[in-house]
Amino acid sequence: MLPALEVVELSRLQFGLTAMFHFLFVPLTLGLSWILVICESVYVMTGREVYKDMTRFWGKLFGINFAMGVTTGMTLEFQFGTNWAYYSHYVGDIFGVPLAIEGLMAFFLESTFVGLFFFGWNRLSKVQHLGVTFLVALGSNLSALWILIANGWMQNPVGAEFNYQTMRMELVSIAEVIFNPVAQAKFVHTLAAGYVAASMFVLGVSAWYLLKARDTGFALRSFAVAAGFGLASVCSVIVLGDESGYTTGEVQKVKLAAIEAEWETHPAPAAITAFGLPNQAEERTDYAVRIPYVLGLIATRSVDQPVIGIKALRREHEARIRSGMLAYEALVALRAGNPSEDMQRQFERHKADLGFGLLLKKYTPNVVDATPAQIKSAANDTIPRVAPLFWSFRVMVGLGILFLFIFATSFWFLARKNLAPQRWLLKLAVVAIPLPWVAIMAGWFVAEYGRQPWTISGVLPTFLSASAVDAGQVWFSLIGLMTMYVLLFAIEMYLMLKYIRLGPSSLHTGRYFRETGPETHSALVAQTSAS
Amino acid sequence: MLDYETLKLIWWALIVLLMLGFALTGGWDLGVATLLPWMGRTDDERRVVINTIGPTWEGNQTWLITFGAALFAAWPLVYAAAFSVLYVALIFTLFALFLRPVGFDYRSKLPDPRWRGAWDWGLFVGGMFPALVFGVAIGNLFLGLPFRYDDTLRVSYHGGFLGLFSGFTVLTGVLAVAMLALHGAAFLYLRSDARVAERARRAIVIAGGITAALFTLLGVWVQSLQGFGIASIADVNGVVTPLQKEVVRGAGLWLANYRALPQLWFVPVAGMLLPLLAGFAAWLRWRWAALAATSGSVIAIIVTAGIALFPFVLPSSIDPVSSLTAWDAVSSQKTLTLMLAVVAIFVPLIALYTSWVYRVMRGTVTVEQIQRETHTSY
């Protein structure tokens, strides 16, 4: 019995919302942990207390954010089993591996040492504590590596093979899974994006202190760390965009074509559509502004390979669906205990297309009796709606360029020791705080919405992946999760803003704004800005 | 490369090991949080209680996360079936678990007593409720869960949330809460002083008695349950899928392993005696002995259940053939081998650095210390 369509759609909505919610907190954890390492390293090397205070203050905000990251992360691990049971059965043999390694290698490291980061200041030597901070950062970043290996495999399922006896995909080569080019590109890109988000956070909050002329010594140093780290990160985000991962894997090719609204295959080197209005009904892009050569260079890193267009991809998919029908026919015979040589050969020849055959289950339970019209519909299902992908991608890229501008100018004026008069830049940095999150959400939307109609590209359609639970149960979890999340998020934001307003005075060292009298305060400002 | 049958057996032991990892360390935190309303009368005292587990609870909870992920990788059929069959119960558990990371970190960030009181409730629920659900879930394994597989190995569930609760399963749930409260109390007794420690000491005696009594009662009850047994199964050294076996049911079958290997009775006997011994040690004020005895209790009680069920992992009440066992719910030989290597490298490493962290954070947490470090403590 297949899960009801309502269950599939609700489960998709729930997974999308909870994953995006989780990813509100992850980027800050990834990047802020390194900013803590940088600040603390300077403290250990120079012995200047202000760097310890920076580590502890940004560490407090790190902690508030980290708690929500852990909270929302648990949901995702539960959800594969609760809502996507058939998926878990079908690919657990491969997909479960990076998740389990993530727990053992990375998450344990991060969460065992994070307690020591907060409570170990008086129990550890300076160097030992720095080591602990480093291990927290290493753990959180390694954690991202294994999660993205798992996610990369959903986009480009290499190193695995279908076993008809167990009715699932099984591991053939762990090396292929780990060194999956899609996963590696995603890892670098996602990590650097997290660093950008954290840098923008520290930059913006520090800019706000500078605008208010409070704790300027503290704020200026934080601003400098964020500007440097942010500039390096935003460069790698842009240069190492994950487009390089878009040429291998079926779904990746489709995404690339959709992002660029490439309806037809153009001869190499392809031009990029900088702007235009994708028109899905007539399958063309209105008012397209095209820049020659660029797309070919970005996507294929060459001038002689074409970027395949949507119409050609759909024709390819139709052929693969027909081949998948033969695979399915052989599978049914093999499972019924008829392993005749003919059937085995037929299965071996066509099993790479089994997933495409499964797409027909939406139209006819027997698959093999699909009409040409049904095959056409299934082929159409493999092409996502172009406009949302086209626009999300451009939002992401546009914001990336804005971040480059902010970090570069910040760095420039810092280097010229002329930051304070640039109030426009400080204001811009404050306003830009939420924007990296917008860019990150847009990026994930492209990656995951663009993966439809598959959970595992070319292998398992989404509508087959869900658990056979009642819609009522999913309504219950969806409403419950969202209620809890909104409530907890409101509390988190309240605390975050409260502690940002308190600033380093929340450390109760007696050295900061509100703790010092007006005279000592301005004396301190004069002293720190002079140094 | 190890043969498939040996690997399957090793993985049964590893899953039990990971579960013990969580019960022994995360069990402290669940137990201490369950006892929180009784152990601390003032805000400072409650902060003492929370700070005994504050620096280490996060790493301990990772045993649970890793247990789930290891199920996914090594026993994907169990992961898929258990999580979807127990859908509502697990979502409720998730809500309770949500209250922990934020409860620990946010509680002391504001001085308002209503704010702190609310988080105290959150921490209590976040400790007690998951323990209860885990206990009820294990109780249900002895009764079987109403699920079956179709010919594409898609699992479907034919029961409701309330069907999980019966006399037997409610008692296993209460046993889990009592057992972890016992274990948590022993940890708190070791790491606190003065009034808090005295209350923890009393809690060990009380929870020890309840745990031993419930465990004995359930041991008697289990004999009259309709147990499961394997009548025949395909070659377990090869690829086996559920549905390729014959399953029989009968009263007393859950004790078949004990009858076959009488030395194993040692384990449940330890499960009955050690909680009482923990109470005795607490009465004598032997803090470390009490903790050793509660750790032994947790191990003995969980392993008792594991042995009784073996090789069953997730029995089906409506279609016994669909039951999942250590033989037919596993990953491919390649994945099991790979994951064995990963576990063999990382679990000792984790044990090593976790014990270093505990060493750094050793000593008792006192009210004076909380007052002195009021801005940095939880």
Side-chain angles (χ1 to χ4, degrees), chain A residues 115, chain B residues 29 52-61 187 191 357-358 361:
Chain B
D29 313 325
T52 59
I53 52 176
T56 43
W57 81 273
E58 189 100 54
N60 298 342
Q61 175 146 301
F187 185 76
R191 296 225 41 210
V357 170
Y358 272 94
M361 297 308 303

Side-chain angles (χ1 to χ4, degrees), chain A residues 60-134:
Chain A
K60 246 182 208 298
L61 303 187
F62 174 85
I64 294 172
N65 172 72
F66 187 79
M68 281 299 283
V70 174
T71 297
T72 53
M74 282 185 293
T75 312
L76 296 180
E77 197 200 33
F78 274 52
Q79 253 184 138
F80 290 110
T82 52
N83 293 71
W84 304 98
Y86 200 59
Y87 171 95
S88 303
H89 158 73
Y90 208 82
V91 298
D93 199 70
I94 309 115
F95 189 81
V97 171
L99 293 197
I101 299 180
E102 186 264 345
L104 289 160
M105 180 192 282
F107 194 46
F108 249 116
L109 199 64
E110 180 184 10
S111 35
T112 304
F113 286 106
V114 78
L116 218 46
F117 172 81
F118 290 108
F119 296 98
W121 285 107
N122 300 325
R123 294 174 182 250
L124 296 168
S125 72
K126 280 185 191 177
V127 175
Q128 275 179 329
H129 193 279
L130 175 60
V132 165
T133 311
F134 174 77

Side-chain angles (χ1 to χ4, degrees), chain A residues 256 260 262 264-273 290-300 302-308:
Chain A
L256 179 67
E260 298 308 340
E262 287 275 306
E264 316 282 349
T265 306
H266 292 284
I272 199 167
T273 307
R290 299 172 68 87
I291 307 169
Y293 291 99
V294 177
L295 179 57
L297 279 172
I298 293 174
T300 66
S302 74
V303 288
D304 55 0
Q305 283 173 30
V307 173
I308 305 168

